[in-house]
Amino acid sequence: MKKILFAIIVIAAAVWYFDISRKMTETAIRENYQAQIEALQRFDAKPLCDALDDSYIATVTARGGARAPAGTKDKVGSCTELTRTLRRMKTLSERTGGLLEPDYDVEIQSIELSSDRKSATVKIATIMRIGDMTLARSRSVEHLIRRLGRIRSVSSEETVWAYRPE
């Protein structure tokens, strides 16, 4: 009897690990992005970095008059830059009493789930503003997977337009 119970537990765990824990829904993807926006607003880079898979690669193309980070970055490089940027924004916000706090408009333009729902491609348009001034716009395509019940980004191709404040 113990062997049968143990076999059932092992089979259930295998089904969860290899199938159920890896499937995504459009709702789960939207909730994941909402959590990321909330982390941005808190200037908290940790959950954003945790959402990147260890194999993450980002390709960024910079456009516009201001200097924007460009090139290819792995998870470590992306997290380092994100942490530094959010730390600077937090300092700016604190020193101005919240007057110069960034605001993000994120529009999920499309979500394409694979037939097995274990991967997804998401197209996103983002605008970053401080007050009425637009600092940057971006268009990106993210490739997502789900591991152990958590949605993770494995790669991203992004075009960023950065503007000089006037």
Side-chain angles (χ1 to χ4, degrees):
M1 184 66 173
K2 288 182 182 181
K3 288 182 182 181
I4 292 173
L5 183 59
F6 180 72
I8 290 172
I9 292 171
V10 169
I11 290 169
V15 168
W16 180 84
Y17 180 79
F18 290 108
D19 190 43
I20 296 170
S21 75
R22 295 178 184 242
K23 288 189 177 181
M24 291 183 275
T25 64
E26 209 173 293
T27 301
I29 292 169
R30 290 183 186 281
E31 289 170 354
N32 183 60
Y33 280 108
Q34 184 59 42
Q36 289 183 15
I37 292 167
E38 291 167 4
L40 277 171
Q41 292 170 336
R42 290 189 315 270
F43 307 106
D44 187 2
K46 184 172 180 359
L48 300 169
C49 290
D50 289 346
L52 303 178
D53 192 64
D54 290 339
S55 64
Y56 179 76
I57 295 291
T59 304
V60 179
T61 304
R63 306 267 191 245
R67 196 180 79 171
T72 303
K73 295 178 185 71
D74 61 2
K75 179 179 179 172
V76 173
S78 295
C79 286
T80 300
E81 185 175 314
L82 181 62
T83 301
R84 182 177 53 242
T85 300
L86 289 180
R87 187 174 42 240
R88 288 177 180 167
M89 286 182 181
K90 183 178 182 180
T91 300
L92 179 63
S93 177
E94 288 172 348
R95 288 184 180 171
T96 62
L99 293 175
L100 296 178
E101 191 166 287
D103 180 40
Y104 304 93
D105 290 336
V106 179
E107 177 189 352
I108 297 175
Q109 296 177 319
S110 69
I111 298 173
E112 295 176 27
L113 283 165
S114 64
S115 59
D116 63 2
R117 296 186 344 198
K118 293 183 181 181
S119 65
T121 301
V122 182
K123 293 182 182 178
I124 304 162
T126 306
I127 300 172
M128 183 180 129
R129 293 186 183 94
I130 291 183
D132 292 336
M133 183 175 39
T134 299
L135 294 180
R137 296 178 187 267
S138 70
R139 299 279 185 263
S140 61
V141 177
E142 274 201 82
H143 304 281
L144 307 176
I145 60 169
R146 186 169 169 179
R147 286 210 179 113
L148 298 174
R150 297 192 62 205
I151 295 174
R152 299 191 183 276
S153 180
V154 291
S155 68
S156 174
E157 298 89 35
E158 184 173 20
T159 302
V160 177
W161 290 267
Y163 304 103
R164 294 182 196 269
E166 295 182 14

